[in-house]
Amino acid sequence: MAIIRPFKGLRPKEELAAQVAARPYDVLSSDEAKAAAAGNPYSYYHVSKSEIDLPEGIDTHSQQVYDKAAENLQRLVKEGVLFQEAQPAYYIYKLVMNGRAQTGLVCASSVDDYNKGIIKKHEFTRPDKELDRINHIKTTLAQTGNVFLAYNDVPEVNALIDHWQNNNKPAYDFTADDGIQHTIWVINTPAAVQEITTLFAEKVPCTYIADGHHRAASASLVQKEFQEKGTITSVENPVNYFLTTIFPASQLAILDYNRLVKDLNGLSKAELLSRLDYDFTVEEIGHQPQQPSMLHEFSMYLEGTWYRLVAKEGTYTTDPIGILDVTILSNNILDKHLGIKDQRTDKRIDFVGGIRGLQELVKRVDSGEMKVAFALYPVTIQQLFDIADSGNVMPPKSTWFEPKLRDGLITHVI
């Protein structure tokens, strides 16, 4: 069963929360972070993307960058921008985007649960990205990035969170410049804290990583290093836990994650369309972009025209991986016709999260940068759970979750 703990969150003064809050470190470039933080000394980008305060061109994985992150974090504490909770607490985090709300529990999840597979994964991680987060955690002595977890709904947990929201004033409530509303409540009464801990221990058999695989893996590796050094003297040591926000599956939405390819692998447009006809029902749909309306349906944009591709029976299997649209696309188009064997390493392919819309695909193809684009129907949360339960991993760039949690609103100090 899932082990979670309350913790003494490091968080901003109420009136500064909107200025502190920053998008996750891995969804924007250093230049974008620098522009977003311009004129705002309280922005958490000074911690999560601290290269913005160093000379241009610096290696973002250098120790100087991690030292600057630690320096900036301590500055925010010394200036009173951030303060640490007086007693361990849980937090309710509600996000509203385009009228749709999702509400999760911010807690410290057990690293041992991650190591044992009680917290389930669906992606591979890369050692270079793990090392980056390891060095950031070890230097700042804090987990500054949230891991987004999901679980199958438990009515008792949902009811408790609803009751707390309806009967208590939030600590923060603001709308960010991208229109997403962020509201956070602090749960700090001993009875409520104990009830939540017990409910998860008794009612939640496992949780699933939706977003943040590298952050979770890095927390595990930091714990291992501390264990080997003999610096962990208690099971309740904060390094045995990592910062998570856990959402009920019923509230989550996964957006499409689309593909762009630089060339047709030596094929002409007519040749590609002819080849696709073997595995797909191909229909020209005109110049206006259309989102796929169901699983196993794709939209393709090529030379100014959109096409609907519907996978024929026999082009996919019914196992958790084989039935995914990203697998169908990979096996029957990208690999078979366009010569892309490994999407992780091939420089001819790029990925665009559905939050950018289909016009982003049109723009990049029409500009000549890319030759063809494929829009996919989103993976379902149940497909994600099925794959994690089976012990498999999804193909790269399969899921895009929105809205994103903001960094800086709650930090876990180790």
Side-chain angles (χ1 to χ4, degrees):
M1 306 301 280
I3 298 173
I4 64 169
R5 292 288 185 268
F7 64 100
K8 297 179 180 179
L10 182 67
R11 58 188 185 90
K13 289 180 178 178
E14 180 178 2
E15 64 272 21
L16 298 178
Q19 290 175 261
V20 170
R23 293 165 62 203
Y25 76 97
D26 54 354
V27 301
L28 74 172
S29 68
S30 299
D31 287 343
E32 289 170 331
K34 188 169 187 176
N40 180 7
Y42 303 149
S43 171
Y44 210 69
Y45 290 127
H46 296 290
V47 176
S48 61
K49 303 282 287 184
S50 54
E51 66 270 16
I52 67 175
D53 296 322
L54 294 169
E56 190 172 342
I58 191 169
D59 178 0
T60 58
H61 296 156
S62 68
Q63 187 57 43
Q64 189 178 354
V65 171
Y66 305 121
D67 289 339
K68 190 64 176 179
E71 176 189 325
N72 286 341
L73 182 60
Q74 290 307 310
R75 172 182 63 81
L76 293 174
V77 173
K78 289 176 182 176
E79 292 178 357
V81 177
L82 304 179
F83 70 96
Q84 191 163 19
E85 209 77 60
Q87 59 189 36
Y90 288 119
Y91 305 86
I92 296 170
Y93 191 163
K94 179 180 179 181
L95 302 100
V96 180
M97 177 181 175
N98 298 330
R100 185 184 65 81
Q102 63 184 57
T103 305
L105 180 76
V106 185
C107 60
S109 288
S110 167
V111 172
D112 286 345
D113 276 3
Y114 174 83
N115 295 336
K116 294 173 183 176
I118 294 171
I119 297 173
K120 300 191 176 189
K121 307 177 279 289
H122 70 266
E123 285 184 6
F124 287 124
T125 53
R126 287 171 40 186
D128 58 330
K129 289 191 172 185
E130 291 175 354
L131 183 60
D132 172 52
R133 287 303 93 189
I134 289 168
N135 290 334
H136 197 276
I137 292 169
K138 286 166 53 182
T139 305
T140 61
L141 293 179
Q143 294 158 354
T144 62
N146 218 313
V147 178
F148 181 163
L149 300 182
Y151 69 103
N152 282 306
D153 287 49
V154 175
E156 295 92 334
V157 176
N158 294 350
L160 190 154
I161 289 176
D162 288 344
H163 177 79
W164 195 273
Q165 290 180 81
N166 294 333
N167 292 277
N168 293 275
K169 180 180 180 296
Y172 310 126
D173 187 9
F174 65 91
T175 299
D177 54 10
D178 57 2
I180 298 173
Q181 184 179 359
H182 301 263
T183 311
I184 292 179
W185 292 259
V186 181
I187 303 177
N188 53 15
T189 63
V193 166
Q194 184 57 52
E195 184 177 2
I196 291 171
T197 305
T198 301
L199 279 173
F200 271 81
E202 294 180 350
K203 302 283 187 179
V204 181
C206 64
T207 57
Y208 300 82
I209 299 177
D211 196 8
H213 283 80
H214 288 93
R215 279 158 267 170
S218 301
S220 173
L221 292 167
V222 169
Q223 183 210 47
K224 181 181 179 182
E225 183 174 329
F226 277 49
Q227 285 175 332
E228 290 173 348
K229 291 180 178 179
T231 56
I232 300 177
T233 58
S234 165
V235 69
E236 296 302 322
N237 189 302
V239 81
N240 289 323
Y241 298 87
F242 63 106
L243 179 64
T244 63
T245 301
I246 311 179
F247 291 91
S250 64
Q251 297 184 15
L252 299 182
I254 304 177
L255 300 186
D256 45 309
Y257 216 147
N258 302 316
R259 272 71 172 146
L260 289 152
V261 181
K262 288 182 180 294
D263 59 69
L264 299 187
N265 196 32
L267 300 174
S268 67
K269 174 182 175 180
E271 287 171 332
L272 177 62
L273 290 171
S274 176
R275 291 190 181 198
L276 292 179
D277 194 54
Y278 181 80
D279 295 311
F280 299 87
T281 300
V282 181
E283 175 191 356
E284 184 175 326
I285 55 178
H287 302 294
Q288 293 303 313
Q290 289 189 27
Q291 205 72 52
S293 60
M294 61 182 182
L295 288 170
H296 310 336
E297 178 184 306
F298 306 83
S299 294
M300 179 179 73
Y301 185 62
L302 175 62
E303 295 186 10
T305 301
W306 284 92
Y307 299 84
R308 178 182 294 110
L309 313 178
V310 180
K312 296 178 180 178
E313 289 189 15
T315 59
Y316 54 89
T317 59
T318 57
D319 65 89
I321 296 293
I323 203 167
L324 292 175
D325 283 352
V326 286
T327 304
I328 296 170
L329 179 73
S330 179
N331 291 345
N332 297 287
I333 300 180
L334 300 180
D335 184 352
K336 189 173 183 178
H337 302 304
L338 299 181
I340 295 172
K341 305 294 183 183
D342 186 347
Q343 295 181 54
R344 294 177 185 276
T345 59
D346 198 308
K347 302 300 184 185
R348 296 168 53 231
I349 190 168
D350 199 7
F351 308 88
V352 176
I355 190 68
R356 294 184 179 270
L358 297 188
Q359 286 299 334
E360 178 70 11
L361 304 182
V362 171
K363 181 180 76 173
R364 294 183 65 182
V365 171
D366 286 353
S367 71
E369 176 197 1
M370 295 293 183
K371 182 66 176 179
V372 62
F374 299 94
L376 288 78
Y377 191 78
V379 171
T380 68
I381 193 69
Q382 189 58 54
Q383 285 180 316
L384 185 154
F385 284 3
D386 289 345
I387 287 168
D389 286 339
S390 71
N392 287 303
V393 295
M394 285 186 170
K397 308 295 186 182
S398 295
T399 58
W400 183 281
F401 284 88
E402 286 287 349
K404 302 287 187 187
L405 302 165
R406 288 301 198 264
D407 286 350
L409 294 178
I410 305 170
T411 295
H412 183 230
V413 177
I414 65 167

